[in-house]
Amino acid sequence: MTTTEWITDIALILVVFRQLREGRLDLKSFLIPLGIVAYVAHTYLDSVPTEGNDLVLVGALMGAGAVLGVAGGVYTRVRTAGEHILIKAGAVSAILWVLGMGARMGFQLWTEHGGADDVARFSLAHHITSDQAWVAAFVLMALTEVITRLATIFVRSRMLTAGQPAPASDRVAVRP
């Protein structure tokens, strides 16, 4: 793994630790993780192979990413304090995040240190046609996990504030 890959993988894992301490849900809460996965996707996702069972692999890992992301969003505490929405990742949310993001890093380390032959045999037996299929599957898994986690948190925050009156600064005065 290159230094850039180490930094990117560790940054993705550390994103959730920033939320272990309760803080305001703001634009940074969304932009930092989205920015990191956008960079990863731009850097490593050249194409999504469609031959053989490549799409099955991609779909399976994206499905795993979606499950981890939604569960992580559900296990993130979302509450209001005055006019602000606060979030705090719980232990379950953090474990799921590290599991999902760490899986990609662990797989890459394993293939670089002795697992490549096993992956090649598995790929051959299951009609996965190229290394790019594995890259696409893991990158799209990470992207899906981030998007579904953030979407879950966003929806929960909107549901939380849906029944509350708008703050005085947001109300429009209507005069007869």
Side-chain angles (χ1 to χ4, degrees), residues 54-137:
D54 294 352
L55 287 179
V56 173
L57 174 67
V58 170
L61 289 185
M62 285 180 71
V67 168
L68 289 169
V70 169
V74 166
Y75 284 101
T76 297
R77 185 172 76 180
V78 180
R79 70 180 187 93
T80 58
E83 295 179 8
H84 303 290
I85 299 171
L86 303 176
I87 60 170
K88 180 181 181 190
V92 172
S93 180
I95 289 167
L96 291 171
W97 184 265
V98 171
L99 180 69
M101 296 301 151
R104 185 173 90 65
M105 190 167 136
F107 182 81
Q108 188 171 2
L109 285 170
W110 176 61
T111 58
E112 289 178 358
H113 299 287
D117 290 340
D118 292 327
V119 173
R121 280 191 292 278
F122 180 90
S123 296
L124 187 61
H126 293 89
H127 309 289
I128 297 168
T129 63
S130 69
D131 292 346
Q132 184 59 32
W134 287 99
V135 171

Side-chain angles (χ1 to χ4, degrees), residues 78-86 154-167:
V78 180
R79 70 180 187 93
T80 58
E83 295 179 8
H84 303 290
I85 299 171
L86 303 176
F154 178 79
V155 167
R156 290 183 62 220
S157 72
R158 294 297 148 226
M159 289 171 49
L160 190 63
T161 59
Q164 297 180 0

Side-chain angles (χ1 to χ4, degrees), residues 2-9 11-12 31-45 104 139 143:
T2 67
T3 302
T4 302
E5 289 169 338
W6 274 104
I7 291 169
T8 304
D9 287 345
L12 278 170
L31 291 182
I32 291 172
L34 286 173
I36 294 169
V37 293
Y39 169 78
V40 169
H42 175 72
T43 303
Y44 299 104
L45 192 60
R104 185 173 90 65
V139 168
L143 185 64

